[in-house]
Amino acid sequence: MWLFNKKSALLVIALSLLGSKTIMAQGCNIVLSGKVIDEHDGSPLSFAGIYVEELQKGVVSDTLGYFNIKNLCRKSYHLKVTHIGCESKPVFISINTDTLIEIKLEHHTHNLKDVKVEGKGNYSTQHSNMLSGLQLNQNTGKSLASIADNISGVSMIKNGTGISKPVIHGLYGNRIAILNNGIPQAGQQWGNDHAPEIDPFTTNQLSVIKGAGSVEYGGNHLGGIIITELGKIKYDPHLHGSVNYVLASNGITNTLSSLFEKSGKWFSWRLINTAKYGGDRHTPDYFLTNTGVREFNSAIQLEKQLNKKNFTTFYYSFFNTKLGILRGSHISNLTDLNAAIDRNTPFFTSDTFSFSIAPPHQKVQHHLFKWSYKYFWTEYLLLKVDWGTQLNRRQEFDVRRSGRSEMPALDLKMLSNYTNISLSAEKGSFKYKSGIQYRYIDNVNNPQTGILPLVPDYQLFNPSAFGNIYYSRNKASYELGGRYDINHFRVARILSTKTIEHIQHSFQNYSVVAGASYNLTSNFKSTLNIGLTKRSPEINELYSFGLHQGVASIEEGNRSLVPELSFKTIWTNTLSLKEKLWLETSLYYQPISNYIYLEPQLEPRLTIRGAYPFFIYSQNDVVLRGFDLSSKYELSESFDLSLQYSIVRGNEQVSNKFLIYMPADNISSKISYRFNSIKKFNYPEIALKGKYVFKQNRFNSSQDLLPPPDAYFLLNTSFGTSTTIRSHELNLSVEINNLLNQRYRDYLNRLRYYANEEGINIVLRLKYNF
């Protein structure tokens, strides 16, 4: 009996094992098939690598982009998709049967992307130049303006080494709209020394609209729009992310940033933290004393798919920085000021490097909270609600007498609220989008500074409404849009310790845009965009009065300013031939009535805070026009050339005088070569880039304290590759900027009166993805 039972048990075990193996064999015969295509035009990407992390093996797509992975089980897998010239893309997939997927990769043949309105099709005639993926990775550690400077037609106005703002077609400041993850950035952006309070690590796509502008994004952007987007969290129930480290030799600046994200049943989350620590920058000949930086930023994003029709997002970001201002730019008397201007070596220049930051310096904190909600009524009808609140605090510290240097000379707090409710609908070849928006700003000064504030306390009430109609059929697309704004200011201006003047201003602004695009062939597209925009003066243009510390100048507003009226026309043509040649040209013409600008006065002004250049806000009828060219040619799959060229002209319409602070003509080219993978190193790439900036000869000697500096040429080089460590990717690169250690000054740097630009800078970048 015992023997029978033992034999029966062995037989049962054997049959169970055989059955389980049979079931396993049946369950692990699944085939995953797919196609790898270019995200932009849908063209197949041949010889792309599809690596299955759980199996430690992979396949390569064929000449048409197709691939097959056999003998998979019923489970979840992590795929890593790679292709030469692309950033690797992680894909998480759960399979229970034979599965067919399509994988889109960001293939960087060029950096053009049309701006798409929400919906299934691409209706908008607005187009933008976009940077994402590898292009952003190659610029980590730089400011937002420095990254955007890689796009033709975009430059930057600077105030020393650490403060920069984007310039689009010669316009900047209040005339450029910046969207921070869908919310208009609200800070003290009126100042040329007030860089956007945005951490570039919270951006995985940066777009620049250089056309007449989309009416949805606000009514004051005569120059253009910069859009930063973080993107949705990828579906994957496992913890993933990346760690970035950047070391720059000039200033010994260290930057560390981390990103963690995970999707789950209840919600998906993403956490980003960034820290930066640097010291004095240096020119080829001397240190730029007191130009260090301290920065700590954080952001968190939460997403929840409530059901098939409801989706909501919460986003919070914190930006905190301390920036040193060149000590040699703050002078105590007129004699020393005249001696400091165009001096070979600035006053107060130290012989040794230092991480310390002393007055003059800035401290800036910025909080942004955003809630977004989408309701999909039908497949073609979408309701979207965005609400955001921002708190901005700016403190500026001067060299003050009697031990008061640690007391801020300027202390501003700005609270803003923004609400957007929009409705999008599609019907046949038409798309409609309309919405209402409301913006409120409350800006107050700390009265304990002991100095009359540069700008007064004020409140802004800004209701607005917009609407767009898009039509797209066959080869043509058309767009018509309009916007109406009311800007109502309540101003409390301090005249003395006992006298406060209360003033109110109301302005009515409007914008009208129209555009058309036509695909003459499958390789050639032409787009015409026109826009009429009325822009009311901002608070600083009306009421500035005092020292603008970061630019080391005294500015005085003008209460009699009237709104500007701009009419911009831009014609863009794009040619793409067999993924070998890409060429884009843009011509634009923009007359502006009552153009507001800072006019330098020949005589500096002496105050109890020192002697400084003096500027007054003035107004005139002007015209801007220019030309942008971007091109790229792939000699082979590994070898390519690119070229960019930009010119902009600005004149007063009656006197034909040149406008001040217009970007000089510039041309840049880049040659890069990608090697085949070498052992564990994937597609090493070496690049050489040159940029020539012409001397700005279009100026009036009576307009500035110094004539524009000489032309200069900068040579940069870089090397980058990636490798795999325990199934995780490590990207590493070395970049050398100003390789020839060139001595030069840039016309758009407001501190060019006192010092040269930075010398050679070696930048090491590491990025570990997990």
Side-chain angles (χ1 to χ4, degrees):
M1 189 68 172
W2 178 85
L3 181 61
F4 174 78
N5 289 340
K6 184 176 181 180
K7 289 181 178 180
S8 299
L10 291 173
L11 180 61
V12 170
I13 294 173
L15 290 174
S16 299
L17 290 173
L18 180 61
S20 63
K21 289 183 178 180
T22 303
I23 294 173
M24 184 178 296
Q26 292 175 347
C28 292
N29 283 331
I30 296 176
V31 177
L32 174 64
S33 304
K35 186 178 183 180
V36 184
I37 63 172
D38 187 307
E39 182 177 7
H40 296 300
D41 58 17
S43 60
L45 296 180
S46 57
F47 308 113
I50 302 91
Y51 181 79
V52 184
E53 294 184 0
E54 285 77 6
L55 302 180
Q56 298 287 296
K57 67 178 184 179
V59 298
V60 175
S61 64
D62 62 20
T63 55
L64 297 178
Y66 292 103
F67 67 90
N68 287 287
I69 304 176
K70 300 179 180 180
N71 300 324
L72 296 179
C73 303
R74 292 186 178 92
K75 57 182 292 187
S76 298
Y77 292 96
H78 291 87
L79 310 180
K80 185 173 76 171
V81 187
T82 59
H83 187 267
I84 186 169
C86 301
E87 182 183 26
S88 63
K89 180 174 184 177
V91 176
F92 176 79
I93 185 171
S94 297
I95 57 177
N96 294 301
T97 185
D98 290 348
T99 304
L100 178 65
I101 63 173
E102 183 179 73
I103 301 174
K104 299 178 180 180
L105 283 184
E106 181 74 43
H107 189 249
H108 300 286
T109 301
H110 51 74
N111 61 356
L112 173 72
K113 181 181 179 182
D114 289 338
V115 175
K116 295 184 179 180
V117 294
E118 288 190 70
K120 297 178 66 176
N122 180 20
Y123 294 78
S124 180
T125 63
Q126 301 289 339
H127 104 280
S128 78
N129 292 100
M130 180 268 289
L131 299 173
S132 64
L134 284 175
Q135 295 161 319
L136 290 180
N137 288 339
Q138 292 167 355
N139 289 276
T140 53
K142 296 182 180 180
S143 67
L144 184 74
S146 297
I147 296 173
D149 189 47
N150 289 281
I151 295 174
S152 178
V154 181
S155 50
M156 57 180 171
I157 189 165
K158 300 187 291 184
N159 296 281
T161 58
I163 304 171
S164 57
K165 304 189 73 167
V167 180
I168 303 176
H169 288 169
L171 299 176
Y172 53 89
N174 296 321
R175 300 183 182 93
I176 303 296
I178 299 179
L179 266 69
N180 186 354
N181 283 295
I183 300 295
Q185 182 75 2
Q188 308 292 344
Q189 61 259 38
W190 46 264
N192 294 335
D193 62 326
H194 303 167
E197 300 93 347
I198 298 175
D199 178 9
F201 283 102
T202 61
T203 298
N204 61 22
Q205 180 172 298
L206 186 148
S207 303
V208 177
I209 301 176
K210 296 182 293 186
S214 173
V215 294
E216 180 183 357
Y217 299 133
N220 274 8
H221 47 269
L222 306 188
I225 306 165
I226 294 179
I227 304 173
T228 68
E229 298 175 273
L230 185 54
K232 288 185 64 176
I233 301 170
K234 296 182 178 67
Y235 173 73
D236 191 330
H238 306 98
L239 181 65
H240 292 284
S242 62
V243 177
N244 283 273
Y245 175 70
V246 183
L247 173 62
S249 65
N250 199 322
I252 315 180
T253 304
N254 295 265
T255 305
L256 181 65
S257 183
S258 64
L259 181 149
F260 301 90
E261 65 180 29
K262 184 179 180 181
S263 59
K265 179 180 178 181
W266 298 104
F267 60 85
S268 300
W269 61 269
R270 174 185 283 147
L271 177 65
I272 303 172
N273 289 294
T274 302
K276 179 183 287 189
Y277 188 92
D280 293 339
R281 312 292 179 88
H282 62 78
T283 71
D285 304 298
Y286 51 82
F287 287 106
L288 297 168
T289 301
N290 199 52
T291 54
V293 60
R294 310 282 187 273
E295 193 171 302
F296 178 77
N297 313 312
S298 187
I300 186 169
Q301 180 176 355
L302 304 176
E303 294 179 352
K304 175 65 176 177
Q305 183 79 47
L306 301 174
N307 51 48
K308 291 183 178 180
K309 291 191 174 184
N310 294 271
F311 181 80
T312 187
T313 302
F314 294 89
Y315 177 78
Y316 168 77
S317 67
F318 172 66
F319 181 92
N320 179 56
T321 187
K322 180 179 181 181
L323 293 167
I325 306 296
L326 178 69
R327 180 63 183 90
S329 65
H330 284 238
I331 310 299
S332 60
N333 59 73
L334 291 174
T335 301
D336 288 347
L337 175 63
N338 291 325
I341 292 177
D342 206 24
R343 180 183 168 93
N344 289 332
T345 302
F347 285 125
F348 309 108
T349 297
S350 174
D351 294 330
T352 58
F353 170 83
S354 176
F355 280 108
S356 64
I357 299 177
H361 68 264
Q362 302 177 356
K363 290 182 179 179
V364 183
Q365 292 185 345
H366 189 87
H367 302 263
L368 165 66
F369 176 80
K370 172 194 173 182
W371 171 70
S372 180
Y373 170 75
K374 294 180 181 179
Y375 178 70
F376 297 87
W377 253 314
T378 68
E379 184 180 359
Y380 300 101
L381 186 61
L382 169 66
L383 172 68
K384 185 179 180 183
V385 180
D386 294 309
W387 177 81
T389 184
Q390 299 173 72
L391 176 63
N392 182 279
R393 185 178 187 187
R394 167 172 289 273
Q395 295 177 301
E396 298 184 355
F397 297 81
D398 279 342
V399 179
R400 305 178 69 177
R401 299 182 179 90
S402 304
R404 295 187 299 163
S405 293
E406 295 305 317
M407 177 188 296
L410 179 70
D411 193 347
L412 291 167
K413 285 184 180 179
M414 174 185 284
L415 175 66
S416 66
N417 286 288
Y418 170 81
T419 303
N420 170 67
I421 303 174
S422 63
L423 189 66
S424 305
E426 293 183 32
K427 186 176 181 180
S429 299
F430 287 91
K431 177 175 171 59
Y432 314 87
K433 188 168 188 179
S434 61
I436 56 174
Q437 297 171 348
Y438 182 76
R439 185 169 59 116
Y440 168 76
I441 292 177
D442 185 13
N443 192 76
V444 297
N445 286 273
N446 180 359
Q448 303 302 318
T449 62
I451 297 175
L452 289 177
L454 176 62
V455 293
D457 294 354
Y458 73 93
Q459 293 176 306
L460 170 65
F461 305 87
N462 173 212
S464 57
F466 71 90
N468 277 90
I469 300 176
Y470 310 92
Y471 176 78
S472 180
R473 187 167 183 174
N474 298 328
K475 297 181 178 182
S477 296
Y478 305 93
E479 174 183 1
L480 180 66
R483 181 184 179 91
Y484 176 73
D485 286 82
I486 296 176
N487 286 347
H488 182 75
F489 290 97
R490 290 180 182 174
V491 182
R493 184 184 181 194
I494 301 176
L495 302 179
S496 67
T497 55
K498 296 183 179 181
T499 306
I500 298 178
E501 181 183 19
H502 294 276
I503 314 158
Q504 295 193 39
H505 294 274
S506 285
F507 300 98
Q508 299 183 56
N509 296 336
Y510 55 82
S511 300
V512 179
V513 298
S517 66
Y518 187 78
N519 294 305
L520 281 80
T521 69
S522 59
N523 301 317
F524 185 77
K525 179 180 180 181
S526 185
T527 301
L528 180 68
N529 192 261
I530 59 176
L532 178 68
T533 303
K534 185 179 181 182
R535 184 189 81 91
S536 57
E538 295 290 342
I539 196 71
N540 63 303
E541 297 165 334
L542 294 167
Y543 290 106
S544 287
F545 189 80
L547 175 64
H548 203 159
Q549 180 224 45
V551 294
S553 64
I554 292 175
E555 298 178 2
E556 192 172 292
N558 184 349
R559 290 173 58 176
S560 63
L561 297 175
V562 297
E564 298 174 334
L565 184 63
S566 163
F567 185 81
K568 184 173 185 178
T569 303
I570 181 168
W571 181 34
T572 302
N573 293 288
T574 306
L575 174 68
S576 181
L577 295 177
K578 298 181 180 179
E579 293 298 324
K580 291 291 185 181
L581 173 66
W582 175 80
L583 175 69
E584 179 188 270
T585 62
S586 292
L587 280 167
Y588 59 92
Y589 184 81
Q590 185 175 18
I592 305 176
S593 300
N594 302 312
Y595 175 78
I596 301 170
Y597 64 99
L598 268 177
E599 184 177 22
Q601 307 301 299
L602 293 180
E603 294 296 326
R605 178 171 288 187
L606 178 64
T607 71
I608 60 173
R609 299 171 69 182
Y612 299 94
F614 179 40
F615 297 79
I616 293 178
Y617 280 98
S618 299
Q619 208 162 26
N620 216 321
D621 294 343
V622 305
V623 61
L624 302 174
R625 65 262 186 216
F627 172 75
D628 298 331
L629 180 146
S630 295
S631 64
K632 191 167 187 177
Y633 180 66
E634 287 193 357
L635 297 172
S636 67
E637 185 73 13
S638 302
F639 191 30
D640 57 59
L641 302 169
S642 62
L643 176 72
Q644 292 183 340
Y645 178 57
S646 295
I647 63 172
V648 58
R649 302 288 185 266
N651 300 81
E652 295 180 4
Q653 290 190 13
V654 177
S655 66
N656 206 36
K657 288 183 179 180
F658 299 111
L659 291 182
I660 193 171
Y661 301 134
M662 288 290 107
D665 298 353
N666 62 87
I667 184 170
S668 63
S669 62
K670 180 181 178 181
I671 181 171
S672 60
Y673 185 82
R674 290 179 295 272
F675 298 89
N676 291 326
S677 297
I678 303 173
K679 295 185 178 180
K680 293 186 177 181
F681 295 98
N682 304 317
Y683 305 116
E685 179 176 343
I686 187 169
L688 191 67
K689 181 178 180 180
K691 182 175 184 179
Y692 185 83
V693 178
F694 295 82
K695 182 176 181 178
Q696 179 57 282
N697 292 314
R698 291 163 294 280
F699 79 101
N700 306 304
S701 57
S702 61
Q703 280 187 326
D704 211 342
L705 301 172
L706 278 178
D710 293 333
Y712 62 87
F713 173 75
L714 297 180
L715 185 65
N716 305 328
T717 186
S718 63
F719 172 81
T721 185
S722 66
T723 187
T724 301
I725 300 177
R726 295 183 178 179
S727 301
H728 297 138
E729 185 180 56
L730 174 67
N731 296 296
L732 56 148
S733 68
V734 177
E735 179 181 18
I736 306 177
N737 297 311
N738 196 0
L739 179 64
L740 304 179
N741 208 24
Q742 178 78 29
R743 297 180 183 88
Y744 71 102
R745 297 192 182 192
D746 189 88
Y747 177 62
L748 291 185
N749 191 336
R750 290 285 295 272
L751 296 190
R752 68 179 174 87
Y753 304 125
Y754 309 102
N756 291 335
E757 297 288 336
E758 293 181 34
I760 188 171
N761 188 20
I762 304 173
V763 183
L764 169 68
R765 294 186 175 94
L766 301 174
K767 182 180 182 181
Y768 181 68
N769 300 301
F770 59 90

